[in-house]
Amino acid sequence: MEIILADFPDFAARWAVHLESWPTQIQRPIALDITEFAEFAIETIATGIDAQIDRLAAFTEVILLEGDAIVEYTFRRMFLEHLAQHSCAGGFPIKQFTTKLRPLGLYHWQALDRYVSIDPSGIVRD
C-alpha cells in the first residue's frame, strides 16, 4: 500500500480510516485493502478530472506489469471488477477511465466481459 499512498496522497485519509476499522491482531486480507482503493478510484473517476484519471490508468498498468502474482491477481480481480460492478449498479461514467487504460489494463478490462457485460464504449450492460 506504500506505493499507492506515494502515488495517491489523497488516499491517505481514507486509508487511515480503513486501518482503524481492523483490530491490530488480525491480518487484513489484501483483497479488502485493494477494494478500499477501488472505492477511492470510483470517487476520483466521478470527479471527471482528467489528470487524476490518467494517473489511475497509468498506475493500473504499472501494478499489473510490476506487481507480484498475488498483487497482480488481486488488483485485477478486486480493483477492476469492483469498478465494473459499480458501473453496473449505477451508471457510473467508467468510460472516462477505460479509454485511458494502457495495453495490459485494457486487456484485463476486456477479459471482464466473461463476468459482466461491458459494451465496446466501456459502459457495463445489464
Side-chain angles (χ1 to χ4, degrees):
M1 293 310 289
E2 294 81 22
I3 295 169
I4 291 174
L5 291 167
D7 281 6
F8 299 94
D10 293 347
F11 178 59
R14 182 184 199 107
W15 179 244
V17 171
H18 175 69
L19 289 179
E20 289 175 8
S21 70
W22 282 91
T24 55
Q25 70 273 19
I26 299 175
Q27 184 175 355
R28 291 178 327 279
I30 189 173
L32 295 180
D33 291 350
I34 298 299
T35 301
E36 192 65 32
F37 181 63
E39 285 294 323
F40 169 80
I42 288 165
E43 293 171 3
T44 301
I45 294 165
T47 67
I49 299 172
D50 282 334
Q52 293 176 348
I53 298 168
D54 289 344
R55 282 181 41 232
L56 280 169
F59 185 78
T60 298
E61 192 75 4
V62 168
I63 290 295
L64 292 173
L65 284 170
E66 298 177 11
D68 65 25
I70 292 170
V71 170
E72 181 271 331
Y73 176 81
T74 305
F75 204 81
R76 186 170 35 93
R77 294 298 306 258
M78 300 310 294
F79 181 79
L80 291 176
E81 285 190 27
H82 194 75
L83 294 181
Q85 292 300 329
H86 187 80
S87 180
C88 241
F92 177 65
I94 196 68
K95 185 177 177 182
Q96 292 178 317
F97 173 72
T98 59
T99 58
K100 296 171 185 281
L101 285 172
R102 297 184 180 165
L104 190 56
L106 184 59
Y107 169 80
H108 287 299
W109 180 260
Q110 291 169 337
L112 284 174
D113 199 32
R114 289 179 245 154
Y115 306 104
V116 294
S117 295
I118 305 171
D119 72 24
S121 69
I123 303 300
V124 178
R125 299 184 307 266
D126 290 331

